[in-house]
Amino acid sequence: MTDERTEEAPTAEVPVDAQSSTGPEHGANQGETGSKALQELLELSRQQRSQEQAEAPTGELEPKETGPADARAPKTSTAKSKQRAEHRGASQRIAQRVARRTVGRLVSGSGTSVNTQPVPIVTALKGSPYKAPVQASEPGEDEARMVLDFAADIAAIMMRAGAGTSDIEVSVIAACASFGLTTAQVDLTSNTLTVHYSTSDGRLMTVMRVNRGESIHFAKLGSVHKLVTELVAGNIGFNDARSRLDAIRHQRRPYREWFVTGAWGLMVGSLVVLLGGGAIAAGLGIVMSIFISQAGKVIGRTTLPSFFITTLQAAIATLVAMVAGNFGIIESPQYLVAAGIVLLLPTQSLYSSVQDALTNFPLTAAGRMVGVVLTLAGIVSGLALGVVTGEAIGLDPIEVLVPKTGVHVLTAIVSLVAAAVVSMAGVVGMKSTRRFILPAAFVGLASYITMTSLTILSVDNVLACLLASTVTGFLARPLSLRFGAPAIVLMIPAIYTLLQGLSIFTAVYQIVAESETTSFAVGLSSLFSAILANAALAVGAVLGSYLARPLKSLKADAVEKTAESARSSDSTITMDTVEPRD
């Protein structure tokens, strides 16, 4: 009995000392609290051990002092003493177990409430097209490293092709979750992506990708979207997914370069017609667009910063319009300049920056917004340079007032056709596949009709831009998902019909060419209103996309049903044999 009680205390001390020496540290206050608790527990354990050792001899000597006549009494007292000791030992063991648990929570910080635990990364897929992934079992260390490389390559392709930050994040999370890396953490800031993962045995792995520049290629975005959708549905293994992603990386552009340049020219010519210009002005707009595009490419080979390239392109557009107006080739050169401004506007960057700001990516949004502001500054500087240069060589100033005309049936039909052509040309210019041409025309027409109706009703220009672009986003998201691509593939081409190029040119002209009716302050106010109207277009597009989330496309329904059936049958996809890449 004495041996049992003397061995009990040391075994209770060992886990406590081990926990106090090896437990993680979580700050000074928590360490002090843990130390105090350990000291109190150790002191209590020492007192109990001393008391037991003091009582042990007394309990053993009592039977020796009694004579043989009272042999039954020592046996009875010994049995009772043994029962009390066993009961006391069981109570002490329970108390020590509870104490060890309490001290462990104090030292390691594992007593955190459920509400403060980290949110599972899969919850970030809520509201996205990949919200119901079929999750595989956790892979081994080598396989996990390959999955991380695979997910990072998806992000690298999307960043270079022009995707939004939120789209990139959900794609990476969906890919990781589909292959069992449900605890992976994704950090996407500006042009850098970092993916962290910790294995079940505590090994840490980190993969990083840096995007050095964009090359707009919406066809790649559609291909990546299809790949991730099949991963989420559990229809493809790792090796097949790896092969398809490598093929996407080397995917050719859907159109030749000369065809893309011609599409941009056709878009500028259609914008001239949409604003109110004639056939000659539209033809001149096509030629001017091709010229400034090629000039920008030639100048870009000198590694000149994009700010100066944009400035020179805007100045060329302004001078071409002034020359055409002075020689009587066209009657309204302001429409030609406005169409050229729309060509130079950073539409995709503006939309992505606003989307990042509204989806909790402030650093990335700030970086994109700096680029947008610099591009707008280059356009304004180029317009001012063109106007000043034209006046210096004796050209007459451009009349910026837009004549008011009534609504005519023929004019309305021509404008609708021009709006459709603008959106279709935008699809080609952003290098999307041919199947998006007609859907883009539909969304662009709906947006333009909404904008025209609000203008007829005398709605404020900024509010009209916001509402019209909301319609754009509301229609673009379900249609693009139906055709197997992210919403941006239809959003950007359709929004070209709403851009406020004429307002920007009018404001800049008021700043540069002051007169009795205009002043610098008036021009500056007009410029701010024009920039605000273009920003409202991006805000409305993001709002419309969020409003359209409850609308599920047919393919999204199919993916969700597949995932639900997989879960109901308690089946999970497993990674096939992973072969190392050369």
Side-chain angles (χ1 to χ4, degrees), residues 51-72:
Q51 185 178 358
E52 291 173 359
Q53 291 175 352
E55 291 177 354
T58 303
E60 289 181 353
L61 290 174
E62 285 180 357
K64 296 178 182 179
E65 292 177 357
T66 58
D70 295 332
R72 186 176 300 176

Side-chain angles (χ1 to χ4, degrees), residues 217-231:
H217 196 331
F218 281 2
K220 280 187 178 182
L221 295 183
S223 300
V224 171
H225 178 85
K226 284 185 176 181
L227 174 60
V228 178
T229 301
E230 293 191 18
L231 287 176

Side-chain angles (χ1 to χ4, degrees), residues 271-556:
L271 282 170
V272 172
V273 176
L274 193 64
L275 294 172
I280 298 177
L284 186 59
I286 294 174
V287 176
M288 181 192 71
S289 171
I290 295 174
F291 177 74
I292 62 177
S293 297
Q294 295 302 317
K297 291 178 181 179
V298 172
I299 299 173
R301 295 173 185 170
T302 63
T303 66
L304 188 70
S306 60
F307 172 84
F308 301 104
I309 298 175
T310 304
T311 300
L312 292 175
Q313 289 176 315
I316 292 172
T318 306
L319 286 173
V320 169
M322 292 182 71
V323 170
N326 276 261
F327 283 94
I329 301 175
I330 56 177
E331 296 180 357
S332 301
Q334 69 270 22
Y335 298 139
L336 191 60
V337 181
I341 291 174
V342 171
L343 177 66
L344 299 176
L345 282 174
T347 309
Q348 186 265 339
S349 297
L350 178 61
Y351 169 77
S352 297
S353 62
V354 172
Q355 184 187 37
D356 293 344
L358 297 177
T359 53
N360 298 324
F361 293 98
L363 295 179
T364 307
R368 292 183 188 270
M369 191 57 69
V370 169
V372 171
V373 171
L374 284 176
T375 303
L376 289 174
I379 292 174
V380 172
S381 302
L383 294 175
L385 177 62
V387 171
V388 172
T389 303
E391 292 181 349
I393 61 178
L395 297 177
D396 296 332
I398 297 176
E399 181 65 36
V400 296
L401 296 178
V402 179
K404 294 183 178 181
T405 58
V407 179
H408 302 286
V409 176
L410 182 60
T411 304
I413 294 175
V414 172
S415 298
L416 292 176
V417 173
V421 173
V422 167
S423 299
M424 291 189 292
V427 170
V428 178
M430 304 305 289
K431 302 178 181 64
S432 298
T433 54
R434 289 188 293 270
R435 69 177 183 273
F436 292 101
I437 292 178
L438 291 180
F442 169 72
V443 179
L445 274 175
S447 306
Y448 177 74
I449 291 173
T450 304
M451 185 69 179
T452 304
S453 302
L454 294 173
T455 304
I456 294 174
L457 295 175
S458 300
V459 178
D460 181 71
N461 186 43
V462 176
L463 180 59
C465 290
L466 178 65
L467 296 176
S469 60
T470 301
V471 174
T472 305
F474 188 80
L475 295 176
R477 178 182 171 85
L479 279 176
S480 59
L481 293 180
R482 173 65 182 85
F483 284 90
I488 194 174
V489 173
L490 287 180
M491 195 94 66
I492 301 303
I495 215 170
Y496 276 119
T497 59
L498 308 177
L499 291 174
Q500 305 292 300
L502 184 59
S503 300
I504 293 178
F505 173 69
T506 302
V508 173
Y509 198 86
Q510 288 175 348
I511 293 174
V512 176
E514 296 187 40
S515 62
E516 297 179 356
T517 58
T518 61
S519 63
F520 179 82
V522 173
L524 195 61
S525 177
S526 300
L527 180 61
F528 178 76
S529 299
I531 295 176
L532 185 62
N534 284 284
L537 292 175
V539 174
V542 175
L543 175 61
S545 179
Y546 272 85
L547 294 177
R549 281 189 172 187
L551 301 178
K552 298 178 181 179
S553 66
L554 298 178
K555 289 192 175 182

Side-chain angles (χ1 to χ4, degrees), residues 151-152 155 159 168 172 186-188 191-195 207-209:
M159 283 192 292
I168 298 172
V172 173
V186 182
D187 181 19
L188 183 57
N191 63 339
T192 304
L193 171 91
T194 307
V195 186
V207 177
M208 185 177 69
R209 295 290 186 274

Side-chain angles (χ1 to χ4, degrees), residues 226-261:
K226 284 185 176 181
L227 174 60
V228 178
T229 301
E230 293 191 18
L231 287 176
V232 169
N235 296 332
I236 187 173
F238 179 81
N239 288 334
D240 292 337
R242 179 78 258 182
S243 300
R244 283 183 55 177
L245 187 64
D246 292 338
I248 291 172
R249 181 186 287 110
H250 301 95
Q251 181 177 342
R252 297 180 60 183
R253 300 182 185 275
Y255 316 102
R256 295 189 178 275
E257 195 62 31
W258 64 266
F259 191 78
V260 174
T261 303

